[in-house]
Amino acid sequence: MDAVTLSRLQFALTVAFHYIFVPLSIGLGAIMVIVEAMYLKTRLKVYENMARFWTRIFAVTFAMGVASGIVMEFQFGTNWATYSRFVGDVFGSALAAEGIFAFFLESGFLAVLVFGWDRVSPRVHFFATLMVCLGSIFSAVWIIVANSWQQTPAGFHIVEHMGEQRAEITNFWEVVFNPSSVNRLTHTVIGAFLLGAFFVMSVCAYYILKNRHVDGAKRSFTIALVFATVMAIAQLLTGHSSARQVAFTQPAKLAAFEGLFKTPEGGAPLYLFGHPDSVREEVRFGVQIPKALSILVHGDPNKPVTGLDKFKPEDRPPVAITFHSYHIMVGLGMLFIAVTLYASFLRWRGTLFEKRWLMWFFVFAVALPYIANQLGWIAAEVGRQPWVVYGLLRTADAVSKSVSASEVAASIVMFSVIYILLFIIWIYVMNDKIQHGPDEVPEAPEKTEVKELLGTAAEIKSPASLENA
């Protein structure tokens, strides 16, 4: 393989590994906020126990996310030097904003979140939890803004410096609110929320099946289920909005999503499944809904959608990977809606936790949002090829000229070994914490009970009560 292909594989490897931890941190952060809010509202010890437990899980995942993310930034300067010079002004601004708005919140309140349970009041601790949760979301905001600018560049002009072209910001807010940033942000963050909710349901379903920590597990499961149900439905809406935006700003990507090789004269079909054959330029074994794609994109069954034939062969993205990643992601999204609505119905009837087969499903279902998140990222990134910055800089032109293929291959081997070790450690630590479970702290006596005891004691001591006895 050449240096370009190996550099792309290395970047895919590091991002995919990093993306194991980031969405889980964001999703768990949101669940922690809800569980701790329930503790503040009810003062039931069981909510505090579960909040402390999810905080320990969050801390381990957060640490792994930070460690695995550092490697990616090094790659920009090593394997992608031409790219770094071209987008340095834009990317530098986004990363600086992440440091100011996100990392400050996370680093400032993380210690209080993890170690402050018995040192600050419950309200102060809840504030720290909320700030860490917001910090993780803000971090995602700026990374997605930077990535979205590569998909739909805006608010810049091209200047030449020392014989090389680079993008300079002319309007910061146009960069932030480029045509795809809001749609991609909402879709990505909701995907992270879904992963966090399914992770919580997985652990809780395991406890329920093993008859351990049952009260806390049922309460956490219910919170995560309601959250997941709302997010699954919201994800359908953001997915539709994002796909429509792609149709207008990156039509070649949408054509690859849908396997639309030729622009139809009338309405375009929507393929439910099939296999795109780029040689024959057709979808084999495909099952389609006639004119459905035109309805979803234009709201008009007879309005054509741009196909791949409108682009030069060298400007078309790889179709098969994009098509299958996109369709599996959409299929999983529909499954999330169906299963969460069904489980919510059973919870409303009070029979959910008696369905052992469904509990076992939720134990293993945590893998599904992981797959959906990874495939969504693959569809988005492969779909914009051959451009690293859409319409401006090709991926093949962005790689460092001074790094050889053998050097990149050696670093891939090194990263793979390190990542395997880190992943084994993460699984071991997470399993240890889940097997240990939340610490069961008994409920403190209620003040009213103390008053009643004192009152009863006073009555017993009074002469009148003794005479009556």
Side-chain angles (χ1 to χ4, degrees):
M1 292 185 185
D2 57 19
V4 176
T5 305
L6 287 170
S7 295
R8 292 177 66 182
L9 285 175
Q10 187 184 77
F11 198 78
L13 169 69
T14 54
V15 173
F17 185 74
H18 180 57
Y19 211 54
I20 293 174
F21 312 107
V22 173
L24 183 56
S25 297
I26 295 172
L28 273 179
I31 297 290
M32 285 192 315
V33 169
I34 299 173
V35 172
E36 205 166 331
M38 290 299 296
Y39 167 60
L40 283 180
K41 180 182 179 182
T42 64
R43 295 294 179 177
L44 291 175
K45 208 69 177 177
V46 64
Y47 283 119
E48 183 187 354
N49 297 339
M50 296 307 296
R52 287 175 180 249
F53 173 66
W54 296 123
T55 299
R56 291 197 292 271
I57 300 291
F58 171 87
V60 175
T61 306
F62 182 85
M64 291 293 290
V66 172
S68 60
I70 294 172
V71 179
M72 288 191 305
E73 298 190 13
F74 277 116
Q75 282 185 82
F76 293 137
T78 55
N79 297 10
W80 304 97
T82 307
Y83 162 82
S84 297
R85 285 191 290 271
F86 187 81
V87 303
D89 191 42
V90 179
F91 238 81
S93 300
L95 293 179
E98 185 203 10
I100 295 170
F101 296 110
F103 192 68
F104 171 77
L105 284 177
E106 291 175 326
S107 59
F109 290 96
L110 186 63
V112 179
L113 170 69
V114 178
F115 303 110
W117 279 104
D118 300 316
R119 293 176 173 81
V120 299
S121 70
R123 290 182 183 278
V124 172
H125 191 276
F126 174 72
F127 182 74
T129 306
L130 187 62
M131 291 300 104
V132 171
C133 175
L134 288 177
S136 65
I137 294 173
F138 286 162
S139 181
V141 167
W142 292 107
I143 296 300
I144 292 170
V145 162
N147 184 274
S148 297
W149 183 87
Q150 297 174 205
Q151 310 272 347
T152 52
F156 73 101
H157 65 180
I158 301 294
V159 297
E160 190 163 324
H161 179 69
M162 300 180 68
E164 291 190 352
Q165 289 188 329
R166 66 186 182 92
E168 271 190 0
I169 295 177
T170 56
N171 188 321
F172 178 73
W173 294 111
E174 285 186 12
V175 171
V176 173
F177 294 101
N178 67 75
S180 65
S181 60
V182 174
N183 280 318
R184 301 182 79 247
L185 174 65
T186 53
H187 198 59
T188 305
V189 171
I190 289 176
F193 287 161
L194 273 171
L195 174 57
F198 270 79
F199 180 88
V200 169
M201 288 191 288
S202 172
V203 176
C204 292
Y206 175 77
Y207 287 150
I208 292 167
L209 288 166
K210 297 298 181 183
N211 200 29
R212 297 171 52 195
H213 319 293
V214 174
D215 186 22
K218 287 183 177 179
R219 291 175 189 270
S220 286
F221 190 102
T222 301
I223 289 171
L225 176 60
V226 173
F227 190 61
T229 306
V230 174
M231 290 301 116
I233 295 171
Q235 190 70 314
L236 177 65
L237 302 176
T238 61
H240 172 63
S241 178
S242 186
R244 284 195 75 245
Q245 168 259 310
V246 169
F248 296 108
T249 58
Q250 295 175 287
K253 180 193 283 191
L254 183 83
F257 280 168
E258 300 294 349
L260 192 65
F261 288 98
K262 297 177 182 177
T263 305
E265 294 183 0
L270 180 76
Y271 282 99
L272 298 178
F273 56 85
H275 175 68
D277 186 333
S278 296
V279 176
R280 296 183 179 180
E281 296 195 344
E282 64 180 22
V283 177
R284 302 177 68 185
F285 318 112
V287 174
Q288 59 173 249
I289 302 175
K291 302 187 178 184
L293 184 58
S294 290
I295 295 173
L296 290 175
V297 172
H298 299 295
D300 183 347
N302 297 315
K303 196 167 183 177
V305 177
T306 303
L308 288 166
D309 59 332
K310 297 297 183 183
F311 302 90
K312 299 175 183 176
E314 62 268 26
D315 290 342
R316 299 176 188 175
V319 181
I321 296 176
T322 311
F323 178 92
H324 289 303
S325 301
Y326 178 75
H327 277 73
I328 296 172
M329 177 195 70
V330 172
L332 287 173
M334 301 307 288
L335 175 64
F336 298 152
I337 293 174
V339 75
T340 53
L341 283 175
Y342 177 62
S344 297
F345 172 71
L346 294 178
R347 183 68 185 89
W348 173 70
R349 294 189 62 182
T351 59
L352 172 63
F353 301 122
E354 299 169 8
K355 306 287 185 184
R356 292 183 64 83
W357 68 268
L358 191 55
M359 290 294 101
W360 278 116
F361 170 81
F362 276 110
V363 169
F364 296 104
V366 65
L368 301 179
Y370 260 123
I371 294 170
N373 276 289
Q374 295 278 350
L375 291 180
W377 170 72
I378 290 172
E381 298 306 302
V382 176
R384 75 171 143 127
Q385 298 302 318
W387 305 100
V388 66
V389 180
Y390 200 75
L392 296 174
L393 181 65
R394 291 179 183 272
T395 306
D397 297 329
V399 74
S400 299
K401 305 299 185 293
S402 59
V403 179
S404 67
S406 60
E407 290 171 331
V408 181
S411 60
I412 289 176
V413 173
M414 182 182 68
F415 287 151
S416 299
V417 172
I418 294 172
Y419 284 167
I420 290 171
L421 290 175
L422 285 175
F423 188 72
I424 292 172
I425 292 171
W426 181 66
I427 291 292
Y428 175 81
V429 173
M430 291 287 277
N431 181 65
D432 181 66
K433 291 190 176 301
I434 291 170
Q435 291 299 331
H436 179 273
D439 295 323
E440 302 286 351
V441 180
E443 295 280 351
E446 296 287 343
K447 292 182 178 179
T448 52
E449 293 177 358
V450 174
K451 289 179 179 178
E452 289 174 2
L453 287 172
L454 291 174
T456 304
E459 289 177 1
I460 291 174
K461 286 182 179 179
S462 68
S465 64
L466 292 174
E467 288 175 3
N468 291 335

